[in-house]
Amino acid sequence: MSEKRYFKIFSERHIIGEQNKYALLFDVLDKIEVEDDTEIKNQLKTQKVNVEFLSADKNYLYNLILKSLNAFHSSKTFNLEIKEFLSSIEILFHKGLYDECLKIIKRTEVLAEECENFALMLDILTWKKKCTGYSLGLVKANEVNLSIDKYLKLFSNLKLFTDLYYQSNLLQSFNEKDSITDIKKEFKKIIDSNELKSENNALSFSAKIFYYLILSNYAHISNDKIKEYQYLQKLVDILNKSTTYSTENPLDYISIYNRLLIIKKDIDAKSFFEDISILKEFQKKKQIKKEIIEQRIYIHTNTNELEYYLTNNEYKNVVRKLKEIEKCDDETLSLIEPYHIIYFYYIQIISFIYVGQFNLALKHVNKILNDFDKSDRPQVYLRLEVLNVIIHFELKNDDLVTKLTKQIIKNDISKKLLLPFELTILTALNKIELSKNLSFKEYIRILQEVKNKIILENKSDDLVINSLMDNYKKWIDSKI
């Protein structure tokens, strides 16, 4: 809304006669649900606006909005401020005001150094070299030119660590067709590279961030939760000491913090809630991406808190948190990608089952099944299908339990994605539904067998699978 208000003021500079043509076009586009030129023309004609060149007017409006946004967000980050200074430097240079250029360049160098934007620093030094040559002579210009080597080296070093990071990320999100053994072998090649032998090989603050992200990715793929936690905690400590990183890279900052919270709640509960508070406070800062920042912090903090309360059997806090979430509408998640939304609903569904609110659980299941695609998050989507059977079992929708169970098992025959204890639960529920005149004693016996099989299964090193097993066991205990 603040951007829209600013645009109205900004566009006043472009009035044709008594009529602000572009503000009127903006209002029409802002209100209509679907962009339709015929509808736009009809609405503009009622306000006596010439619609003969609508396509050109929309193109002009688009560029006008971009200029308005540039002006509105000017100086909100160091990078934006540097780019504004670079524009000023270029204009002043072409006017021959070299001394004025050098004064601005001196301030701009400080900003670029602070936020470690080596690409912009190379631009700054290029202009410094030109201005110095014209005002102070070639000898001084050559000194500036030699200083460029320092930033080329830092830029090259950062690029190297960035490449290694992306390689590690691709391996971490490995295709299900690849074996974990093969993935670990490939990852080991990255870890054994000379650059990762020591933190000192990362020559800049930015390179150190990627250094610790790579190590935490390797710890994750190796299922070493303690090391993963240590690397992520070290990384967050580094980020919090920076005066610029969280402001210049808010989404990356939140993403890294979320990774720490995911693992921290199982290791250090006290500081887990302290970090939740830090993240919530962070959204109160003046940000260029305020709305998306608020939404990401909302979904990550609530997801992690719910998981913590479930794991620790904190019934009252589960209910309290669900009520808090219930007050928020769908707009709260309008800018979040499906990957995170699906999991957010998934953890709520588990929570609703946990507190016996099966109709609300079903409502959330149907929302995911209807509004999202399986490919958005395959593993969680499959878990949802299993929970869907459990919910219909609780609601005594017997035919649906049988139908859905057969469908899930049939689809899994080729893919083999169901965990053994999930298959055991589905088979048991199907058996209960198909059995006629099942006695209470036999009903309890079947559930007890399922519970015993889950207990007998070897505990995985994977915290996610263990948590999943515990949730199913809790549900079976409640039925018994």
Side-chain angles (χ1 to χ4, degrees):
M1 289 305 298
S2 55
E3 290 174 339
K4 290 179 183 179
R5 282 193 297 272
Y6 185 85
F7 174 76
K8 293 297 181 66
I9 298 166
F10 186 85
S11 66
E12 288 296 323
R13 305 169 195 171
H14 305 270
I15 295 176
I16 300 172
E18 294 296 318
Q19 190 182 59
N20 190 338
K21 180 179 183 179
Y22 301 106
L24 292 172
L25 177 55
F26 177 85
D27 287 337
V28 171
L29 286 164
D30 189 32
K31 289 172 185 174
I32 60 173
E33 292 293 325
V34 180
E35 188 178 340
D36 181 330
D37 280 1
T38 303
E39 176 64 21
I40 293 167
K41 286 178 180 179
N42 289 338
Q43 290 199 34
L44 288 174
K45 282 176 182 176
T46 63
Q47 301 182 65
K48 298 181 180 179
V49 175
N50 182 356
V51 296
E52 187 179 353
F53 305 106
L54 180 62
S55 181
D57 288 340
K58 285 202 294 184
N59 186 55
Y60 185 86
L61 174 62
Y62 177 83
N63 289 310
L64 193 61
I65 289 169
L66 285 179
K67 288 176 183 177
S68 172
L69 287 170
N70 287 338
F72 181 79
H73 290 293
S74 64
S75 302
K76 281 193 177 177
T77 69
F78 281 179
N79 289 313
L80 285 174
E81 196 171 351
I82 291 165
K83 287 166 189 173
E84 284 177 47
F85 280 139
L86 282 169
S87 295
S88 299
I89 290 163
E90 185 168 357
I91 291 166
L92 293 173
F93 175 82
H94 291 304
K95 287 182 174 291
L97 301 171
Y98 309 123
D99 289 339
E100 291 301 315
C101 284
L102 289 171
K103 286 177 186 176
I104 298 174
I105 286 169
K106 188 175 181 180
R107 291 165 60 193
T108 311
E109 279 184 278
V110 174
L111 295 176
E113 189 79 50
E114 183 72 23
C115 65
E116 284 200 346
N117 193 321
F118 304 131
L120 286 179
M121 181 63 90
L122 293 173
D123 278 348
I124 294 164
L125 291 175
T126 300
W127 282 111
K128 185 178 182 180
K129 177 179 63 175
K130 287 182 179 182
C131 295
T132 302
Y134 280 104
S135 63
L136 301 174
L138 291 176
V139 174
K140 291 291 182 182
N142 184 54
E143 289 175 9
V144 175
N145 191 53
L146 292 173
S147 71
I148 291 174
D149 290 340
K150 171 188 172 183
Y151 295 99
L152 284 172
K153 183 179 179 182
L154 289 170
F155 190 84
S156 177
N157 180 258
L158 176 58
K159 173 68 167 58
L160 184 62
F161 276 90
T162 306
D163 288 345
L164 290 170
Y165 166 71
Y166 280 123
Q167 288 175 39
S168 77
N169 253 14
L170 288 171
L171 285 171
Q172 192 179 353
S173 55
F174 62 89
N175 190 297
E176 286 163 358
K177 292 181 288 187
D178 299 328
S179 75
I180 192 68
T181 306
D182 292 337
I183 298 300
K184 284 181 180 177
K185 282 180 183 176
E186 289 300 312
F187 217 128
K188 192 71 167 61
K189 292 177 186 176
I190 296 173
I191 293 297
D192 288 341
S193 62
N194 289 330
E195 291 76 21
L196 293 171
K197 292 281 193 267
S198 167
E199 182 188 336
N200 294 331
N201 292 328
L203 302 180
S204 62
F205 174 83
S206 302
K208 282 179 171 55
I209 291 170
F210 288 117
Y211 172 82
Y212 281 107
L213 281 172
I214 295 164
L215 293 180
S216 63
N217 283 350
Y218 182 62
H220 180 82
I221 207 79
S222 304
N223 233 344
D224 191 335
K225 301 299 177 184
I226 299 300
K227 276 193 176 178
E228 183 182 5
Y229 166 67
Q230 289 170 346
Y231 291 138
L232 288 171
Q233 185 63 67
K234 173 79 172 174
L235 179 53
V236 167
D237 290 342
I238 290 172
L239 299 186
N240 284 335
K241 286 176 185 174
S242 168
T243 56
T244 62
Y245 184 83
S246 62
T247 306
E248 301 294 309
N249 309 278
L251 300 185
D252 290 341
Y253 178 77
I254 293 166
S255 177
I256 292 168
Y257 232 114
N258 181 50
R259 280 192 62 181
L260 176 66
L261 290 173
I262 287 169
I263 195 164
K264 191 172 223 179
K265 61 178 172 284
D266 297 310
I267 296 172
D268 185 354
K270 183 183 176 184
S271 61
F272 165 74
F273 282 101
E274 289 172 0
D275 282 324
I276 289 278
S277 298
I278 290 170
L279 208 48
K280 287 179 178 178
E281 280 297 313
F282 175 66
Q283 69 187 356
K284 295 176 183 177
K285 292 183 180 180
K286 190 176 182 181
Q287 306 279 5
I288 191 170
K289 305 171 184 175
K290 192 168 183 61
E291 193 175 4
I292 190 169
I293 285 168
E294 288 174 347
Q295 291 190 21
R296 284 185 180 276
I297 290 175
Y298 173 85
I299 199 169
H300 291 325
T301 53
N302 281 302
T303 299
N304 280 297
E305 279 190 71
L306 266 179
E307 282 193 324
Y308 175 85
Y309 297 138
L310 285 170
T311 303
N312 292 281
N313 299 315
E314 296 187 16
Y315 167 82
K316 288 182 180 178
N317 282 325
V318 171
V319 174
R320 175 185 58 78
K321 183 52 66 175
L322 287 171
K323 285 180 179 177
E324 283 178 19
I325 294 168
E326 193 179 356
K327 293 175 186 175
C328 298
D329 54 31
D330 289 342
E331 281 300 307
T332 310
L333 304 176
S334 61
L335 300 173
I336 304 297
E337 56 267 42
Y339 182 88
H340 292 301
I341 296 176
I342 288 173
Y343 191 78
F344 183 50
Y345 282 129
Y346 166 73
I347 205 68
Q348 286 180 71
I349 290 160
I350 292 176
S351 301
F352 283 125
I353 293 172
Y354 183 79
V355 297
Q357 297 180 9
F358 302 110
N359 283 313
L360 285 172
L362 183 59
K363 177 185 170 184
H364 282 66
V365 167
N366 288 335
K367 187 170 183 63
I368 294 176
L369 298 179
N370 294 330
D371 295 353
F372 298 93
D373 191 80
K374 193 168 190 172
S375 61
D376 289 328
R377 195 154 184 181
Q379 293 286 354
V380 175
Y381 203 94
L382 178 65
R383 309 280 92 84
L384 282 165
E385 290 178 329
V386 176
L387 291 178
N388 195 27
V389 173
I390 288 174
I391 293 164
H392 283 295
F393 179 80
E394 288 283 8
L395 294 172
K396 305 194 185 308
N397 298 328
D398 301 344
D399 291 341
L400 269 175
V401 172
T402 304
K403 180 184 175 183
L404 292 171
T405 299
K406 286 180 180 177
Q407 186 178 311
I408 295 169
I409 293 173
K410 182 182 177 182
N411 291 340
D412 193 60
I413 288 172
S414 59
K415 297 179 181 177
K416 302 289 182 187
L417 295 176
L418 278 173
L419 295 166
F421 58 84
E422 289 175 315
L423 198 55
T424 299
I425 290 168
L426 289 173
T427 305
L429 296 185
N430 195 42
K431 183 178 179 180
I432 290 170
E433 296 300 347
L434 292 174
S435 300
K436 294 180 180 178
N437 302 319
L438 188 70
S439 69
F440 179 75
K441 186 177 180 181
E442 182 63 14
Y443 172 81
I444 295 297
R445 188 191 65 76
I446 293 171
L447 291 176
Q448 189 64 53
E449 280 182 2
V450 174
K451 178 183 172 180
N452 292 340
K453 283 183 181 178
I454 290 176
I455 293 170
L456 283 171
E457 277 190 36
N458 291 329
K459 281 275 185 180
S460 169
D461 290 330
D462 193 322
L463 287 173
V464 175
I465 292 177
N466 285 340
S467 177
L468 194 62
M469 289 175 72
D470 288 340
N471 284 331
Y472 283 129
K473 184 176 168 295
K474 287 174 189 173
W475 175 70
I476 292 167
D477 281 338
S478 74
K479 300 310 298 171
I480 294 173

